[in-house]
Amino acid sequence: MKILVTGGLGFIGSHTVVELQNKGYEVVIIDNCSNSSADVLDRITKITGIKPLFEQFDLREKNKVQDFFNRHNDVSGVIHFAASKAVGESVENPLLYYENNLSTLVYLLQQLSSKSSAHFIFSSSCTVYGQADELPITENAPVKAAESPYGNTKQIGEEIIRDTCKVTSDLNAISLRYFNPIGAHPSSEIGELPIGVPQNLIPYITQTAIGLREQLSVFGDDYPTSDGTCIRDYIHVVDLAKAHVVALQRLLEHKNVSNYEVFNVGTGTGSTVLEVIQSFEKMSNQKLNYKIVGRREGDITAAYADTTKANNELGWQAKSSLDDSLGSAWKWEQKVRS
């Protein structure tokens, strides 16, 4: 059974490709390598012993998307990761995010809508909730006005999928609203390796510890939390990858309750930025150089998941602790810089 993974050489995508191959799926990857590298293909092959099919092009090129599906009309499911993903960058360059994150989704759904049976997993985000009224956040929490263009693209993306499913009974889709993916594969063959200056906390931490960055900035210490820093739910990327596989299996086995469903994917535990730093220092034996600076536009105070629905309906739950996740991220950083 052939599964298309867009953005399959990226951080979450590559780990999901590994888990799909471990379950016996044939995988074909589309990636434009704008924030990844083609050598990840060799790393995936080293882990699984199987080299996925790979095509390098930009999903914003509609004619190439059409051509791909003409050539691969046996694709049974799509897991869609390809998107720009940094909150801060989206505030600075909103049009890039709206073009890249929404047009690509539309082009994929146009192709799937013409198939007699199509299965689609969308890489959504807890940013759709904004600053939730209650914690932990359930799937029934209201979707509030987004705090950033990035968050808005995820909200609009979900709306596009839901509206398409309403009029396309042969399209079955799940949006996974995941929280903050971190860590690396236990083999240390794949992990988070952003091109340029990291936009996410953990790679900035590891790059600071390894000496690539001079200092980590902690954005704000005046939030209404235990230590004044923001709270997030940090989930190991392998746990997250496995959630995509079980969600896909749910659709392929027709166990979905409706043809559009939403699940939170997180650990259910929130950690402050300073707690993350302390955990990293413990796991790495490194003293981290960091400085408290002003708040960053687009950041919310706290977000962590209620994962009851995913636990009960998908039969999935996160296994790795924050310490485990940060330890694997540090091992990856050391290996990739060696």
Side-chain angles (χ1 to χ4, degrees):
M1 188 172 290
K2 185 185 289 185
I3 306 300
L4 167 62
V5 180
T6 73
L9 299 184
F11 176 42
I12 307 170
S14 61
H15 286 82
T16 302
V17 169
V18 167
E19 296 305 321
L20 285 167
Q21 292 191 154
N22 286 343
K23 288 292 185 180
Y25 292 100
E26 179 185 0
V27 177
V28 55
I29 295 168
I30 297 174
D31 201 305
N32 67 1
C33 295
S34 63
N35 196 34
S36 59
S37 173
D39 72 356
V40 174
L41 200 65
D42 295 329
R43 295 173 178 272
I44 292 171
T45 306
K46 188 172 181 180
I47 295 170
T48 65
I50 304 167
K51 188 171 187 176
L53 297 173
F54 170 55
E55 297 200 16
Q56 183 174 345
F57 66 89
D58 196 313
L59 289 167
R60 288 175 290 185
E61 299 181 71
K62 185 176 182 179
N63 62 324
K64 291 189 177 181
V65 177
Q66 291 172 327
D67 174 67
F68 173 87
F69 279 93
N70 287 337
R71 290 183 290 106
H72 295 274
N73 57 14
D74 57 341
V75 166
S76 299
V78 176
I79 303 181
H80 182 41
F81 294 107
S84 301
K85 62 177 185 177
V87 169
E89 183 185 50
S90 78
V91 172
E92 297 170 0
N93 196 350
L95 290 180
L96 168 68
Y97 274 67
Y98 287 118
E99 179 192 26
N100 196 41
N101 292 9
L102 298 180
S103 65
T104 56
L105 173 62
V106 169
Y107 298 158
L108 288 168
L109 291 176
Q110 285 173 338
Q111 296 302 310
L112 293 178
S113 295
S114 64
K115 294 172 72 71
S116 59
S117 178
H119 308 94
F120 188 78
I121 306 294
F122 180 56
S123 168
S124 191
S125 168
C126 64
T127 57
V128 302
Y129 298 116
Q131 181 55 68
D133 296 326
E134 296 181 6
L135 295 170
I137 303 169
T138 73
E139 290 83 355
N140 295 323
V143 173
K144 295 186 174 183
E147 299 284 339
S148 68
Y150 164 73
N152 204 25
T153 65
K154 293 303 183 183
Q155 290 182 1
I156 297 170
E158 287 194 11
E159 291 169 0
I160 290 170
I161 299 166
R162 185 186 65 236
D163 290 343
T164 305
C165 285
K166 282 181 181 177
V167 297
T168 314
S169 59
D170 289 334
L171 175 63
N172 295 282
I174 289 176
S175 289
L176 294 181
R177 293 173 176 170
Y178 41 81
F179 285 66
N180 292 66
I182 63 171
H185 194 267
S187 67
S188 297
E189 287 295 335
I190 53 175
E192 191 167 11
L193 189 63
I195 294 173
V197 179
Q199 299 290 324
N200 296 329
L201 175 62
I202 305 308
Y204 213 110
I205 284 177
T206 58
Q207 289 189 15
T208 302
I210 207 79
L212 196 61
R213 307 290 163 197
E214 182 179 347
Q215 189 175 63
L216 170 72
S217 294
V218 176
F219 297 106
D221 65 348
D222 58 348
Y223 288 94
T225 63
S226 60
D227 58 27
T229 62
C230 292
I231 293 174
R232 298 291 184 268
D233 185 338
Y234 296 94
I235 178 172
H236 196 293
V237 65
V238 173
D239 286 334
L240 179 56
K242 290 178 178 178
H244 289 81
V245 177
V246 297
L248 178 67
Q249 290 172 334
R250 179 179 177 85
L251 295 181
L252 293 172
E253 295 169 4
H254 307 291
K255 292 181 179 178
N256 45 307
V257 175
S258 66
N259 72 328
Y260 180 62
E261 298 179 306
V262 173
F263 293 92
N264 285 341
V265 185
T267 67
T269 301
S271 302
T272 69
V273 176
L274 291 182
E275 286 171 342
V276 171
I277 290 172
Q278 291 162 5
S279 174
F280 175 79
E281 289 180 336
K282 177 180 70 175
M283 297 304 296
S284 66
N285 249 351
Q286 302 287 314
K287 188 67 178 173
L288 199 65
N289 182 27
Y290 69 90
K291 180 177 70 172
I292 306 294
V293 298
R295 292 188 182 191
R296 179 175 59 180
E297 188 175 358
D299 280 341
I300 60 172
T301 300
Y304 54 96
D306 183 322
T307 61
T308 303
K309 185 179 179 184
N311 300 157
N312 292 342
E313 295 189 29
L314 295 180
W316 169 94
Q317 63 180 9
K319 304 287 189 183
S320 298
S321 68
L322 179 64
D323 285 352
D324 293 337
S325 300
L326 291 170
S328 69
W330 178 233
K331 288 177 182 177
W332 156 251
E333 187 71 49
Q334 291 176 297
K335 179 170 182 176
V336 81
R337 303 298 174 190
S338 61

